[in-house]
Amino acid sequence: MDKIWVVIPAGGRGQRFGSAQAKQYLTLVERPVLAHAIAPFLGEERIAGVQLALPGEDLATGVWRHLLGAVAERLLPPVVGGAERADSVRLGLEALLSQGALGQDWVLVHDAARPCLRDRDLHALLDVLPDSPQGALLAVPVADTLKREEAGHSLGTVDRHHLWRALTPQAFPLGPLLTALTRAKEQGLAITDEASAMEREGWRPRLVRGRSDNIKITYPDDLELASAILAAHGSGGGAV
């Protein structure tokens, strides 16, 4: 099987979180959120390398290295990220190519603010790649009742049958993913995740059911929830 790489876009500041410090650097169970997000990949022998895309000032000051400590030494040289998440992913892919990755290699893209990925979910995703030529992503079926809103009022209930919540990591061949992201940027399209870029290219990636507690930290309350989830895992991250 071709090599498998990881890109973690951490070029943003998480303005919705409302903290002076970027949310990926906030302390969660004695380590930065980003360190928890990275941990499962460092313990997986099928991963060839982890590529970060960081804010330019973080690279210039070295704050990322200071906060990540020994974890930083196990990563590929970081690259400066872009204005949007998709830009950071694209720049991370280009950095991998410059460091010897091939277009047919697999790339897993994982959110810097998802610190609760479990090893079993990562293994499940990796295991399906040989039989998933159009890519794959972790996801979970929608369980809540969904409402359509207008002016603060409910207009009706949305049929949740066949609806899934997309999680990360999301896995695609490097070359086609880079092409899809580049084309979307040229067309001025808003890309919220890698699967949406590939779907625009006609790809139909496989949905791999993951755990719903693989949450993304977006608001302050999420940090408290992530702490409880990690405690339930019984470790500081990457737990089975």
Side-chain angles (χ1 to χ4, degrees), residues 167-191:
L167 310 175
T168 69
Q170 301 189 4
F172 295 97
L174 192 160
L177 177 57
L178 179 56
T179 297
L181 291 174
T182 301
R183 185 171 293 146
K185 182 175 180 61
E186 293 171 349
Q187 296 175 354
L189 301 175
I191 297 299

Side-chain angles (χ1 to χ4, degrees), residues 13 32 43-44 48 54 88 90 124 175 184 192-193 196 200 203 226 229 237-238:
R13 288 297 180 188
E44 172 52 58
L54 299 169
S88 292
R90 179 173 47 81
T192 56
D193 71 346
S196 63
R200 290 180 180 275
W203 289 48
I229 290 170

Side-chain angles (χ1 to χ4, degrees), residues 215-237:
I215 67 168
K216 183 178 180 181
I217 293 176
T218 305
Y219 302 105
D221 288 351
D222 297 331
L223 197 65
E224 182 177 348
L225 178 58
S227 179
I229 290 170
L230 291 177
H233 286 185
S235 76

Side-chain angles (χ1 to χ4, degrees), residues 12-19 21-24 218:
R13 288 297 180 188
Q15 295 180 350
R16 285 178 293 177
F17 191 88
S19 171
Q21 186 178 38
K23 63 183 179 182
Q24 62 263 31
T218 305

Side-chain angles (χ1 to χ4, degrees), residues 9 83-89 109-111 168 192-194 216:
E84 302 294 337
R85 181 185 187 280
D87 296 323
S88 292
V89 174
V109 181
H110 187 56
D111 293 325
T168 69
T192 56
D193 71 346
E194 293 64 53
K216 183 178 180 181

Side-chain angles (χ1 to χ4, degrees), residues 27-47:
T27 300
L28 173 66
V29 192
E30 302 180 350
R31 291 193 291 170
V33 168
L34 180 57
H36 289 284
I38 294 170
F41 305 105
L42 297 181
E44 172 52 58
E45 62 182 10
R46 287 175 283 183
I47 300 299

Side-chain angles (χ1 to χ4, degrees), residues 19-158:
S19 171
Q21 186 178 38
K23 63 183 179 182
Q24 62 263 31
Y25 298 138
L26 293 173
T27 300
L28 173 66
V29 192
E30 302 180 350
R31 291 193 291 170
V33 168
L34 180 57
H36 289 284
I38 294 170
F41 305 105
L42 297 181
E44 172 52 58
E45 62 182 10
R46 287 175 283 183
I47 300 299
V50 178
Q51 177 71 62
L52 295 184
L54 299 169
E57 59 268 32
D58 292 2
L59 286 180
T61 62
V63 63
W64 69 277
R65 187 179 297 276
H66 170 72
L67 290 172
L68 292 180
V71 170
E73 306 304 320
R74 302 176 63 186
L75 307 175
L76 298 171
V79 66
V80 175
E84 302 294 337
R85 181 185 187 280
D87 296 323
S88 292
V89 174
R90 179 173 47 81
L91 292 166
L93 297 175
E94 293 174 350
L96 286 177
L97 287 174
S98 72
Q99 297 175 84
L102 302 177
Q104 67 264 29
D105 287 349
W106 285 98
V107 175
L108 308 185
V109 181
H110 187 56
D111 293 325
R114 270 189 208 274
C116 301
L117 172 65
R118 295 214 191 188
D119 289 343
R120 67 177 68 171
D121 280 7
L122 175 58
H123 296 165
L125 181 63
L126 293 175
D127 288 346
V128 304
L129 293 188
D131 300 316
S132 303
Q134 296 204 3
L137 65 147
L138 290 180
V140 63
V142 171
D144 296 326
T145 298
L146 301 178
K147 296 295 184 180
R148 185 178 295 106
E149 175 269 346
E150 183 177 288
H153 296 271
S154 177
L155 296 184
T157 300
V158 178

